[in-house]
mmCIF file of all heavy atoms in Angstrom:
data_model
loop_
_atom_site.group_PDB
_atom_site.id
_atom_site.type_symbol
_atom_site.label_atom_id
_atom_site.label_comp_id
_atom_site.label_asym_id
_atom_site.label_seq_id
_atom_site.Cartn_x
_atom_site.Cartn_y
_atom_site.Cartn_z
ATOM 1 N N MET A 9 2.540 2.123 1.645
ATOM 2 C CA MET A 9 1.399 2.004 2.490
ATOM 3 C C MET A 9 1.842 2.341 3.904
ATOM 4 O O MET A 9 2.855 1.832 4.369
ATOM 5 C CB MET A 9 0.861 0.573 2.402
ATOM 6 C CG MET A 9 -0.549 0.417 2.863
ATOM 7 S SD MET A 9 -0.763 -0.003 4.571
ATOM 8 C CE MET A 9 0.085 -1.523 4.692
ATOM 9 N N LEU A 10 1.101 3.218 4.532
ATOM 10 C CA LEU A 10 1.436 3.628 5.889
ATOM 11 C C LEU A 10 0.421 3.061 6.875
ATOM 12 O O LEU A 10 -0.725 2.803 6.523
ATOM 13 C CB LEU A 10 1.429 5.151 5.999
ATOM 14 C CG LEU A 10 2.379 5.913 5.076
ATOM 15 C CD1 LEU A 10 2.188 7.406 5.250
ATOM 16 C CD2 LEU A 10 3.815 5.528 5.341
ATOM 17 N N ARG A 11 0.883 2.886 8.103
ATOM 18 C CA ARG A 11 0.002 2.430 9.183
ATOM 19 C C ARG A 11 0.048 3.457 10.301
ATOM 20 O O ARG A 11 1.131 3.870 10.723
ATOM 21 C CB ARG A 11 0.474 1.084 9.709
ATOM 22 C CG ARG A 11 0.401 -0.036 8.701
ATOM 23 C CD ARG A 11 0.982 -1.295 9.283
ATOM 24 N NE ARG A 11 0.355 -1.602 10.561
ATOM 25 C CZ ARG A 11 -0.234 -2.750 10.832
ATOM 26 N NH1 ARG A 11 -0.247 -3.705 9.959
ATOM 27 N NH2 ARG A 11 -0.788 -2.941 12.007
ATOM 28 N N ARG A 12 -1.112 3.852 10.784
ATOM 29 C CA ARG A 12 -1.155 4.856 11.854
ATOM 30 C C ARG A 12 -0.500 4.369 13.138
ATOM 31 O O ARG A 12 -0.025 5.182 13.925
ATOM 32 C CB ARG A 12 -2.587 5.288 12.117
ATOM 33 C CG ARG A 12 -3.110 6.179 11.022
ATOM 34 C CD ARG A 12 -4.167 7.133 11.538
ATOM 35 N NE ARG A 12 -4.657 7.954 10.450
ATOM 36 C CZ ARG A 12 -4.171 9.143 10.152
ATOM 37 N NH1 ARG A 12 -3.207 9.656 10.861
ATOM 38 N NH2 ARG A 12 -4.665 9.831 9.145
ATOM 39 N N ASP A 13 -0.460 3.049 13.359
ATOM 40 C CA ASP A 13 0.155 2.543 14.590
ATOM 41 C C ASP A 13 1.678 2.436 14.499
ATOM 42 O O ASP A 13 2.336 2.054 15.458
ATOM 43 C CB ASP A 13 -0.453 1.197 14.995
ATOM 44 C CG ASP A 13 -0.242 0.107 13.960
ATOM 45 O OD1 ASP A 13 0.265 0.395 12.855
ATOM 46 O OD2 ASP A 13 -0.603 -1.047 14.255
ATOM 47 N N ASP A 14 2.239 2.803 13.364
ATOM 48 C CA ASP A 14 3.697 2.825 13.189
ATOM 49 C C ASP A 14 4.241 4.022 13.965
ATOM 50 O O ASP A 14 3.791 5.152 13.769
ATOM 51 C CB ASP A 14 4.026 2.959 11.706
ATOM 52 C CG ASP A 14 5.517 2.935 11.399
ATOM 53 O OD1 ASP A 14 6.334 3.221 12.305
ATOM 54 O OD2 ASP A 14 5.857 2.650 10.252
ATOM 55 N N PRO A 15 5.208 3.802 14.854
ATOM 56 C CA PRO A 15 5.772 4.922 15.617
ATOM 57 C C PRO A 15 6.380 6.017 14.735
ATOM 58 O O PRO A 15 6.499 7.164 15.161
ATOM 59 C CB PRO A 15 6.851 4.287 16.492
ATOM 60 C CG PRO A 15 6.706 2.821 16.366
ATOM 61 C CD PRO A 15 5.804 2.529 15.203
ATOM 62 N N ARG A 16 6.745 5.671 13.505
ATOM 63 C CA ARG A 16 7.346 6.647 12.587
ATOM 64 C C ARG A 16 6.341 7.159 11.551
ATOM 65 O O ARG A 16 6.727 7.721 10.536
ATOM 66 C CB ARG A 16 8.547 6.006 11.897
ATOM 67 C CG ARG A 16 9.667 5.650 12.886
ATOM 68 C CD ARG A 16 10.864 5.023 12.212
ATOM 69 N NE ARG A 16 11.363 5.885 11.164
ATOM 70 C CZ ARG A 16 11.891 5.433 10.024
ATOM 71 N NH1 ARG A 16 11.990 4.144 9.794
ATOM 72 N NH2 ARG A 16 12.325 6.274 9.116
ATOM 73 N N PHE A 17 5.043 6.968 11.815
ATOM 74 C CA PHE A 17 4.008 7.350 10.860
ATOM 75 C C PHE A 17 4.148 8.805 10.408
ATOM 76 O O PHE A 17 4.183 9.091 9.210
ATOM 77 C CB PHE A 17 2.617 7.134 11.465
ATOM 78 C CG PHE A 17 1.504 7.653 10.601
ATOM 79 C CD1 PHE A 17 1.027 6.902 9.541
ATOM 80 C CD2 PHE A 17 0.935 8.893 10.833
ATOM 81 C CE1 PHE A 17 0.006 7.376 8.724
ATOM 82 C CE2 PHE A 17 -0.080 9.382 10.030
ATOM 83 C CZ PHE A 17 -0.546 8.619 8.970
ATOM 84 N N ASP A 18 4.221 9.731 11.352
ATOM 85 C CA ASP A 18 4.297 11.156 10.997
ATOM 86 C C ASP A 18 5.533 11.460 10.159
ATOM 87 O O ASP A 18 5.462 12.202 9.176
ATOM 88 C CB ASP A 18 4.281 12.027 12.248
ATOM 89 C CG ASP A 18 2.934 12.018 12.949
ATOM 90 O OD1 ASP A 18 1.901 11.872 12.259
ATOM 91 O OD2 ASP A 18 2.913 12.145 14.190
ATOM 92 N N GLU A 19 6.651 10.875 10.545
ATOM 93 C CA GLU A 19 7.895 11.090 9.792
ATOM 94 C C GLU A 19 7.768 10.561 8.369
ATOM 95 O O GLU A 19 8.124 11.242 7.401
ATOM 96 C CB GLU A 19 9.046 10.388 10.508
ATOM 97 C CG GLU A 19 10.353 10.434 9.763
ATOM 98 C CD GLU A 19 11.421 9.554 10.396
ATOM 99 O OE1 GLU A 19 11.188 8.977 11.472
ATOM 100 O OE2 GLU A 19 12.484 9.436 9.776
ATOM 101 N N LYS A 20 7.239 9.351 8.211
ATOM 102 C CA LYS A 20 7.084 8.757 6.881
ATOM 103 C C LYS A 20 6.106 9.556 6.027
ATOM 104 O O LYS A 20 6.330 9.763 4.834
ATOM 105 C CB LYS A 20 6.618 7.315 7.009
ATOM 106 C CG LYS A 20 7.672 6.391 7.577
ATOM 107 C CD LYS A 20 7.128 4.988 7.756
ATOM 108 C CE LYS A 20 8.176 4.046 8.311
ATOM 109 N NZ LYS A 20 7.639 2.680 8.491
ATOM 110 N N LYS A 21 5.034 10.030 6.640
ATOM 111 C CA LYS A 21 4.049 10.827 5.903
ATOM 112 C C LYS A 21 4.674 12.144 5.435
ATOM 113 O O LYS A 21 4.478 12.567 4.299
ATOM 114 C CB LYS A 21 2.832 11.085 6.771
ATOM 115 C CG LYS A 21 1.707 11.770 6.036
ATOM 116 C CD LYS A 21 0.491 11.911 6.931
ATOM 117 C CE LYS A 21 -0.599 12.685 6.207
ATOM 118 N NZ LYS A 21 -1.750 12.918 7.053
ATOM 119 N N ARG A 22 5.445 12.781 6.310
ATOM 120 C CA ARG A 22 6.135 14.024 5.939
ATOM 121 C C ARG A 22 7.081 13.795 4.769
ATOM 122 O O ARG A 22 7.145 14.601 3.833
ATOM 123 C CB ARG A 22 6.925 14.569 7.137
ATOM 124 C CG ARG A 22 6.293 15.733 7.827
ATOM 125 C CD ARG A 22 7.214 16.430 8.815
ATOM 126 N NE ARG A 22 8.021 15.569 9.658
ATOM 127 C CZ ARG A 22 7.604 14.980 10.780
ATOM 128 N NH1 ARG A 22 6.375 15.156 11.188
ATOM 129 N NH2 ARG A 22 8.400 14.217 11.477
ATOM 130 N N LEU A 23 7.818 12.684 4.800
ATOM 131 C CA LEU A 23 8.750 12.370 3.712
ATOM 132 C C LEU A 23 7.990 12.153 2.404
ATOM 133 O O LEU A 23 8.450 12.589 1.347
ATOM 134 C CB LEU A 23 9.582 11.138 4.057
ATOM 135 C CG LEU A 23 10.612 11.320 5.162
ATOM 136 C CD1 LEU A 23 11.242 9.981 5.523
ATOM 137 C CD2 LEU A 23 11.675 12.322 4.759
ATOM 138 N N CYS A 24 6.855 11.498 2.468
ATOM 139 C CA CYS A 24 6.051 11.293 1.261
ATOM 140 C C CYS A 24 5.604 12.636 0.688
ATOM 141 O O CYS A 24 5.684 12.860 -0.519
ATOM 142 C CB CYS A 24 4.836 10.431 1.574
ATOM 143 S SG CYS A 24 5.215 8.690 1.856
ATOM 144 N N HIS A 25 5.153 13.527 1.546
ATOM 145 C CA HIS A 25 4.736 14.855 1.080
ATOM 146 C C HIS A 25 5.918 15.618 0.498
ATOM 147 O O HIS A 25 5.814 16.227 -0.566
ATOM 148 C CB HIS A 25 4.097 15.654 2.225
ATOM 149 C CG HIS A 25 2.699 15.262 2.514
ATOM 150 N ND1 HIS A 25 1.633 15.724 1.782
ATOM 151 C CD2 HIS A 25 2.181 14.440 3.456
ATOM 152 C CE1 HIS A 25 0.520 15.210 2.264
ATOM 153 N NE2 HIS A 25 0.817 14.424 3.277
ATOM 154 N N ARG A 26 7.033 15.564 1.187
ATOM 155 C CA ARG A 26 8.224 16.293 0.748
ATOM 156 C C ARG A 26 8.668 15.850 -0.636
ATOM 157 O O ARG A 26 9.036 16.667 -1.482
ATOM 158 C CB ARG A 26 9.364 16.084 1.747
ATOM 159 C CG ARG A 26 10.637 16.847 1.384
ATOM 160 C CD ARG A 26 11.824 16.385 2.155
ATOM 161 N NE ARG A 26 12.245 15.083 1.607
ATOM 162 C CZ ARG A 26 13.172 14.324 2.156
ATOM 163 N NH1 ARG A 26 13.779 14.681 3.264
ATOM 164 N NH2 ARG A 26 13.502 13.163 1.605
ATOM 165 N N ASP A 27 8.635 14.528 -0.862
ATOM 166 C CA ASP A 27 9.124 13.966 -2.117
ATOM 167 C C ASP A 27 8.020 13.748 -3.148
ATOM 168 O O ASP A 27 8.247 13.111 -4.179
ATOM 169 C CB ASP A 27 9.839 12.640 -1.845
ATOM 170 C CG ASP A 27 11.075 12.823 -0.980
ATOM 171 O OD1 ASP A 27 11.622 13.950 -0.948
ATOM 172 O OD2 ASP A 27 11.499 11.850 -0.332
ATOM 173 N N ASP A 28 6.826 14.293 -2.884
ATOM 174 C CA ASP A 28 5.675 14.135 -3.794
ATOM 175 C C ASP A 28 5.404 12.670 -4.121
ATOM 176 O O ASP A 28 5.175 12.301 -5.274
ATOM 177 C CB ASP A 28 5.874 14.923 -5.088
ATOM 178 C CG ASP A 28 5.783 16.420 -4.869
ATOM 179 O OD1 ASP A 28 4.994 16.850 -4.005
ATOM 180 O OD2 ASP A 28 6.502 17.150 -5.559
ATOM 181 N N LEU A 29 5.440 11.824 -3.095
ATOM 182 C CA LEU A 29 5.181 10.402 -3.271
ATOM 183 C C LEU A 29 3.734 10.077 -2.932
ATOM 184 O O LEU A 29 3.164 10.636 -1.998
ATOM 185 C CB LEU A 29 6.103 9.571 -2.373
ATOM 186 C CG LEU A 29 7.592 9.726 -2.625
ATOM 187 C CD1 LEU A 29 8.381 8.942 -1.584
ATOM 188 C CD2 LEU A 29 7.938 9.253 -4.023
ATOM 189 N N PHE A 30 3.162 9.170 -3.699
ATOM 190 C CA PHE A 30 1.816 8.696 -3.431
ATOM 191 C C PHE A 30 1.874 7.727 -2.257
ATOM 192 O O PHE A 30 2.781 6.907 -2.170
ATOM 193 C CB PHE A 30 1.269 7.994 -4.678
ATOM 194 C CG PHE A 30 -0.094 7.417 -4.489
ATOM 195 C CD1 PHE A 30 -1.215 8.234 -4.519
ATOM 196 C CD2 PHE A 30 -0.258 6.071 -4.275
ATOM 197 C CE1 PHE A 30 -2.474 7.706 -4.337
ATOM 198 C CE2 PHE A 30 -1.512 5.524 -4.094
ATOM 199 C CZ PHE A 30 -2.620 6.351 -4.115
ATOM 200 N N TYR A 31 0.932 7.808 -1.359
ATOM 201 C CA TYR A 31 0.872 6.864 -0.250
ATOM 202 C C TYR A 31 -0.583 6.590 0.112
ATOM 203 O O TYR A 31 -1.471 7.353 -0.243
ATOM 204 C CB TYR A 31 1.628 7.391 0.980
ATOM 205 C CG TYR A 31 0.988 8.607 1.603
ATOM 206 C CD1 TYR A 31 0.050 8.468 2.618
ATOM 207 C CD2 TYR A 31 1.299 9.881 1.176
ATOM 208 C CE1 TYR A 31 -0.549 9.576 3.183
ATOM 209 C CE2 TYR A 31 0.715 10.994 1.732
ATOM 210 C CZ TYR A 31 -0.216 10.832 2.741
ATOM 211 O OH TYR A 31 -0.814 11.928 3.298
ATOM 212 N N ARG A 32 -0.788 5.474 0.765
ATOM 213 C CA ARG A 32 -2.111 5.113 1.251
ATOM 214 C C ARG A 32 -1.975 4.700 2.704
ATOM 215 O O ARG A 32 -0.912 4.247 3.129
ATOM 216 C CB ARG A 32 -2.687 3.988 0.400
ATOM 217 C CG ARG A 32 -2.938 4.490 -1.022
ATOM 218 C CD ARG A 32 -3.327 3.405 -1.951
ATOM 219 N NE ARG A 32 -4.736 3.078 -1.782
ATOM 220 C CZ ARG A 32 -5.351 2.124 -2.452
ATOM 221 N NH1 ARG A 32 -4.707 1.414 -3.339
ATOM 222 N NH2 ARG A 32 -6.608 1.863 -2.251
ATOM 223 N N ILE A 33 -3.054 4.862 3.440
ATOM 224 C CA ILE A 33 -3.058 4.535 4.862
ATOM 225 C C ILE A 33 -3.968 3.326 5.079
ATOM 226 O O ILE A 33 -5.139 3.341 4.684
ATOM 227 C CB ILE A 33 -3.545 5.731 5.699
ATOM 228 C CG1 ILE A 33 -2.619 6.925 5.476
ATOM 229 C CG2 ILE A 33 -3.612 5.360 7.180
ATOM 230 C CD1 ILE A 33 -3.105 8.223 6.074
ATOM 231 N N GLU A 34 -3.396 2.291 5.680
ATOM 232 C CA GLU A 34 -4.151 1.059 5.901
ATOM 233 C C GLU A 34 -5.405 1.334 6.727
ATOM 234 O O GLU A 34 -5.358 2.011 7.751
ATOM 235 C CB GLU A 34 -3.289 0.013 6.608
ATOM 236 C CG GLU A 34 -3.982 -1.316 6.756
ATOM 237 C CD GLU A 34 -3.098 -2.411 7.290
ATOM 238 O OE1 GLU A 34 -1.926 -2.146 7.615
ATOM 239 O OE2 GLU A 34 -3.577 -3.533 7.378
ATOM 240 N N GLY A 35 -6.534 0.836 6.244
ATOM 241 C CA GLY A 35 -7.804 1.005 6.937
ATOM 242 C C GLY A 35 -8.511 2.308 6.630
ATOM 243 O O GLY A 35 -9.640 2.522 7.086
ATOM 244 N N GLU A 36 -7.863 3.188 5.879
ATOM 245 C CA GLU A 36 -8.474 4.466 5.501
ATOM 246 C C GLU A 36 -8.551 4.624 3.986
ATOM 247 O O GLU A 36 -9.587 4.998 3.456
ATOM 248 C CB GLU A 36 -7.681 5.635 6.100
ATOM 249 C CG GLU A 36 -7.718 5.645 7.615
ATOM 250 C CD GLU A 36 -6.884 6.749 8.205
ATOM 251 O OE1 GLU A 36 -6.773 7.835 7.588
ATOM 252 O OE2 GLU A 36 -6.317 6.533 9.300
ATOM 253 N N SER A 37 -7.446 4.362 3.322
ATOM 254 C CA SER A 37 -7.429 4.472 1.858
ATOM 255 C C SER A 37 -6.879 3.200 1.210
ATOM 256 O O SER A 37 -6.678 3.149 0.009
ATOM 257 C CB SER A 37 -6.595 5.679 1.424
ATOM 258 O OG SER A 37 -5.271 5.558 1.917
ATOM 259 N N TRP A 38 -6.631 2.170 2.016
ATOM 260 C CA TRP A 38 -6.182 0.873 1.521
ATOM 261 C C TRP A 38 -6.642 -0.194 2.497
ATOM 262 O O TRP A 38 -6.581 -0.009 3.714
ATOM 263 C CB TRP A 38 -4.662 0.829 1.410
ATOM 264 C CG TRP A 38 -4.149 -0.477 0.888
ATOM 265 C CD1 TRP A 38 -4.025 -0.831 -0.419
ATOM 266 C CD2 TRP A 38 -3.707 -1.606 1.646
ATOM 267 N NE1 TRP A 38 -3.527 -2.105 -0.527
ATOM 268 C CE2 TRP A 38 -3.330 -2.612 0.741
ATOM 269 C CE3 TRP A 38 -3.607 -1.880 2.994
ATOM 270 C CZ2 TRP A 38 -2.853 -3.842 1.138
ATOM 271 C CZ3 TRP A 38 -3.134 -3.111 3.392
ATOM 272 C CH2 TRP A 38 -2.755 -4.070 2.470
ATOM 273 N N TRP A 39 -7.122 -1.336 1.958
ATOM 274 C CA TRP A 39 -7.575 -2.451 2.782
ATOM 275 C C TRP A 39 -6.964 -3.731 2.255
ATOM 276 O O TRP A 39 -6.777 -3.898 1.046
ATOM 277 C CB TRP A 39 -9.107 -2.556 2.730
ATOM 278 C CG TRP A 39 -9.756 -1.413 3.432
ATOM 279 C CD1 TRP A 39 -10.224 -1.401 4.713
ATOM 280 C CD2 TRP A 39 -10.000 -0.101 2.928
ATOM 281 N NE1 TRP A 39 -10.743 -0.172 5.027
ATOM 282 C CE2 TRP A 39 -10.611 0.654 3.942
ATOM 283 C CE3 TRP A 39 -9.751 0.539 1.709
ATOM 284 C CZ2 TRP A 39 -10.983 1.973 3.785
ATOM 285 C CZ3 TRP A 39 -10.119 1.862 1.555
ATOM 286 C CH2 TRP A 39 -10.729 2.559 2.580
ATOM 287 N N ARG A 40 -6.653 -4.645 3.140
ATOM 288 C CA ARG A 40 -6.028 -5.922 2.749
ATOM 289 C C ARG A 40 -6.854 -6.664 1.703
ATOM 290 O O ARG A 40 -6.307 -7.375 0.877
ATOM 291 C CB ARG A 40 -5.816 -6.814 3.963
ATOM 292 C CG ARG A 40 -4.749 -6.284 4.873
ATOM 293 C CD ARG A 40 -4.227 -7.349 5.813
ATOM 294 N NE ARG A 40 -3.247 -6.758 6.700
ATOM 295 C CZ ARG A 40 -1.973 -6.605 6.391
ATOM 296 N NH1 ARG A 40 -1.544 -7.005 5.225
ATOM 297 N NH2 ARG A 40 -1.133 -6.047 7.234
ATOM 298 N N ALA A 41 -8.165 -6.492 1.726
ATOM 299 C CA ALA A 41 -9.025 -7.188 0.765
ATOM 300 C C ALA A 41 -8.722 -6.767 -0.673
ATOM 301 O O ALA A 41 -9.142 -7.433 -1.612
ATOM 302 C CB ALA A 41 -10.493 -6.918 1.090
ATOM 303 N N GLU A 42 -7.987 -5.664 -0.858
ATOM 304 C CA GLU A 42 -7.616 -5.224 -2.206
ATOM 305 C C GLU A 42 -6.544 -6.116 -2.824
ATOM 306 O O GLU A 42 -6.367 -6.121 -4.033
ATOM 307 C CB GLU A 42 -7.093 -3.785 -2.178
ATOM 308 C CG GLU A 42 -8.153 -2.773 -1.833
ATOM 309 C CD GLU A 42 -7.615 -1.359 -1.892
ATOM 310 O OE1 GLU A 42 -6.851 -1.051 -2.828
ATOM 311 O OE2 GLU A 42 -7.966 -0.570 -1.004
ATOM 312 N N MET A 43 -5.828 -6.841 -1.997
ATOM 313 C CA MET A 43 -4.755 -7.695 -2.498
ATOM 314 C C MET A 43 -5.357 -8.948 -3.115
ATOM 315 O O MET A 43 -6.227 -9.582 -2.533
ATOM 316 C CB MET A 43 -3.812 -8.096 -1.354
ATOM 317 C CG MET A 43 -3.054 -6.922 -0.755
ATOM 318 S SD MET A 43 -2.029 -6.044 -1.941
ATOM 319 C CE MET A 43 -0.833 -7.273 -2.356
ATOM 320 N N PRO A 44 -4.889 -9.327 -4.290
ATOM 321 C CA PRO A 44 -5.412 -10.541 -4.930
ATOM 322 C C PRO A 44 -4.927 -11.792 -4.199
ATOM 323 O O PRO A 44 -3.832 -11.808 -3.631
ATOM 324 C CB PRO A 44 -4.831 -10.476 -6.338
ATOM 325 C CG PRO A 44 -3.621 -9.626 -6.211
ATOM 326 C CD PRO A 44 -3.895 -8.653 -5.102
ATOM 327 N N SER A 45 -5.749 -12.830 -4.244
ATOM 328 C CA SER A 45 -5.343 -14.118 -3.677
ATOM 329 C C SER A 45 -4.298 -14.745 -4.603
ATOM 330 O O SER A 45 -4.087 -14.292 -5.736
ATOM 331 C CB SER A 45 -6.554 -15.040 -3.565
ATOM 332 O OG SER A 45 -7.010 -15.394 -4.867
ATOM 333 N N GLU A 46 -3.677 -15.808 -4.132
ATOM 334 C CA GLU A 46 -2.669 -16.484 -4.955
ATOM 335 C C GLU A 46 -3.303 -17.034 -6.224
ATOM 336 O O GLU A 46 -2.712 -16.972 -7.304
ATOM 337 C CB GLU A 46 -1.988 -17.599 -4.165
ATOM 338 C CG GLU A 46 -0.833 -18.238 -4.908
ATOM 339 C CD GLU A 46 0.251 -17.261 -5.343
ATOM 340 O OE1 GLU A 46 0.590 -16.343 -4.576
ATOM 341 O OE2 GLU A 46 0.750 -17.409 -6.475
ATOM 342 N N SER A 47 -4.529 -17.560 -6.126
ATOM 343 C CA SER A 47 -5.183 -18.096 -7.323
ATOM 344 C C SER A 47 -5.522 -16.980 -8.310
ATOM 345 O O SER A 47 -5.417 -17.166 -9.532
ATOM 346 C CB SER A 47 -6.438 -18.889 -6.959
ATOM 347 O OG SER A 47 -7.395 -18.074 -6.336
ATOM 348 N N GLU A 48 -5.898 -15.816 -7.815
ATOM 349 C CA GLU A 48 -6.156 -14.679 -8.706
ATOM 350 C C GLU A 48 -4.866 -14.216 -9.384
ATOM 351 O O GLU A 48 -4.864 -13.874 -10.571
ATOM 352 C CB GLU A 48 -6.781 -13.522 -7.929
ATOM 353 C CG GLU A 48 -8.191 -13.795 -7.463
ATOM 354 C CD GLU A 48 -8.720 -12.751 -6.506
ATOM 355 O OE1 GLU A 48 -7.940 -12.223 -5.675
ATOM 356 O OE2 GLU A 48 -9.932 -12.455 -6.582
ATOM 357 N N MET A 49 -3.773 -14.201 -8.634
ATOM 358 C CA MET A 49 -2.484 -13.830 -9.215
ATOM 359 C C MET A 49 -2.080 -14.822 -10.308
ATOM 360 O O MET A 49 -1.617 -14.426 -11.379
ATOM 361 C CB MET A 49 -1.394 -13.776 -8.131
ATOM 362 C CG MET A 49 -1.503 -12.601 -7.202
ATOM 363 S SD MET A 49 -1.198 -11.032 -8.035
ATOM 364 C CE MET A 49 0.540 -11.170 -8.391
ATOM 365 N N GLU A 50 -2.262 -16.105 -10.050
ATOM 366 C CA GLU A 50 -1.900 -17.123 -11.031
ATOM 367 C C GLU A 50 -2.745 -16.974 -12.288
ATOM 368 O O GLU A 50 -2.224 -17.064 -13.404
ATOM 369 C CB GLU A 50 -2.062 -18.524 -10.438
ATOM 370 C CG GLU A 50 -1.611 -19.622 -11.365
ATOM 371 C CD GLU A 50 -0.159 -19.504 -11.790
ATOM 372 O OE1 GLU A 50 0.680 -19.023 -11.000
ATOM 373 O OE2 GLU A 50 0.141 -19.874 -12.944
ATOM 374 N N ALA A 51 -4.041 -16.729 -12.137
ATOM 375 C CA ALA A 51 -4.916 -16.532 -13.299
ATOM 376 C C ALA A 51 -4.444 -15.318 -14.109
ATOM 377 O O ALA A 51 -4.430 -15.350 -15.340
ATOM 378 C CB ALA A 51 -6.362 -16.349 -12.850
ATOM 379 N N GLY A 52 -4.049 -14.259 -13.424
ATOM 380 C CA GLY A 52 -3.543 -13.074 -14.113
ATOM 381 C C GLY A 52 -2.258 -13.350 -14.867
ATOM 382 O O GLY A 52 -2.083 -12.907 -16.004
ATOM 383 N N ARG A 53 -1.358 -14.117 -14.251
ATOM 384 C CA ARG A 53 -0.097 -14.477 -14.916
ATOM 385 C C ARG A 53 -0.370 -15.292 -16.184
ATOM 386 O O ARG A 53 0.253 -15.050 -17.220
ATOM 387 C CB ARG A 53 0.788 -15.276 -13.971
ATOM 388 C CG ARG A 53 1.422 -14.463 -12.888
ATOM 389 C CD ARG A 53 2.381 -15.313 -12.062
ATOM 390 N NE ARG A 53 2.590 -14.712 -10.779
ATOM 391 C CZ ARG A 53 2.083 -15.131 -9.618
ATOM 392 N NH1 ARG A 53 1.340 -16.218 -9.570
ATOM 393 N NH2 ARG A 53 2.324 -14.490 -8.500
ATOM 394 N N GLU A 54 -1.303 -16.237 -16.062
ATOM 395 C CA GLU A 54 -1.636 -17.067 -17.225
ATOM 396 C C GLU A 54 -2.199 -16.221 -18.360
ATOM 397 O O GLU A 54 -1.857 -16.422 -19.526
ATOM 398 C CB GLU A 54 -2.633 -18.153 -16.831
ATOM 399 C CG GLU A 54 -2.023 -19.241 -15.967
ATOM 400 C CD GLU A 54 -3.049 -20.239 -15.468
ATOM 401 O OE1 GLU A 54 -4.220 -20.185 -15.893
ATOM 402 O OE2 GLU A 54 -2.664 -21.082 -14.626
ATOM 403 N N LYS A 55 -3.036 -15.259 -18.044
ATOM 404 C CA LYS A 55 -3.628 -14.393 -19.074
ATOM 405 C C LYS A 55 -2.559 -13.531 -19.742
ATOM 406 O O LYS A 55 -2.619 -13.267 -20.933
ATOM 407 C CB LYS A 55 -4.714 -13.523 -18.481
ATOM 408 C CG LYS A 55 -5.966 -14.300 -18.151
ATOM 409 C CD LYS A 55 -7.040 -13.415 -17.584
ATOM 410 C CE LYS A 55 -8.253 -14.263 -17.242
ATOM 411 N NZ LYS A 55 -9.341 -13.501 -16.673
ATOM 412 N N LEU A 56 -1.585 -13.097 -18.977
ATOM 413 C CA LEU A 56 -0.509 -12.284 -19.547
ATOM 414 C C LEU A 56 0.367 -13.097 -20.493
ATOM 415 O O LEU A 56 0.912 -12.545 -21.453
ATOM 416 C CB LEU A 56 0.351 -11.683 -18.436
ATOM 417 C CG LEU A 56 -0.291 -10.561 -17.635
ATOM 418 C CD1 LEU A 56 0.590 -10.179 -16.462
ATOM 419 C CD2 LEU A 56 -0.552 -9.346 -18.520
ATOM 420 N N GLU A 57 0.520 -14.370 -20.218
ATOM 421 C CA GLU A 57 1.358 -15.227 -21.052
ATOM 422 C C GLU A 57 0.698 -15.543 -22.389
ATOM 423 O O GLU A 57 1.370 -15.865 -23.356
ATOM 424 C CB GLU A 57 1.691 -16.520 -20.323
ATOM 425 C CG GLU A 57 2.639 -16.300 -19.159
ATOM 426 C CD GLU A 57 2.863 -17.556 -18.343
ATOM 427 O OE1 GLU A 57 2.275 -18.613 -18.670
ATOM 428 O OE2 GLU A 57 3.630 -17.484 -17.363
ATOM 429 N N ASN A 58 -0.623 -15.462 -22.452
ATOM 430 C CA ASN A 58 -1.345 -15.826 -23.689
ATOM 431 C C ASN A 58 -1.615 -14.650 -24.569
ATOM 432 O O ASN A 58 -1.572 -13.561 -24.368
ATOM 433 C CB ASN A 58 -2.662 -16.525 -23.357
ATOM 434 C CG ASN A 58 -2.405 -17.837 -22.650
ATOM 435 O OD1 ASN A 58 -1.433 -18.514 -22.956
ATOM 436 N ND2 ASN A 58 -3.231 -18.175 -21.706
#
C-alpha cells in the first residue's frame, strides 16, 4: 500500500511497476475501512477452525 504523502512515493511506485508488483494507493484504491475489526477477525478465525 502506497501513500502519496510518502517522500519516496514515486520511487516505490516505480519499483512496483518494474517488478510487476500489485499495489494500492491509500485514499484512491484502498481505504482503512476495508480492514476488518478485531471482532471480525476473531469470527473469521473461529469459522476457519470449524
Side-chain angles (χ1 to χ4, degrees):
M9 199 268 300
L10 301 177
R11 296 176 53 125
R12 286 208 181 267
D13 62 353
D14 182 338
R16 296 180 56 215
F17 173 82
D18 290 329
E19 175 189 355
K20 291 177 179 180
K21 186 176 176 184
R22 256 192 318 278
L23 290 173
C24 287
H25 282 279
R26 182 194 75 188
D27 297 337
D28 289 326
L29 299 175
F30 178 78
Y31 67 91
R32 294 172 80 182
I33 300 171
E34 185 173 3
E36 296 177 33
S37 58
W38 181 85
W39 291 263
R40 290 198 183 276
E42 292 183 41
M43 295 301 295
S45 67
E46 186 57 40
S47 62
E48 291 170 324
M49 288 293 291
E50 184 58 33
R53 286 185 202 106
E54 289 174 7
K55 287 181 182 179
L56 288 173
E57 290 174 0
N58 296 325

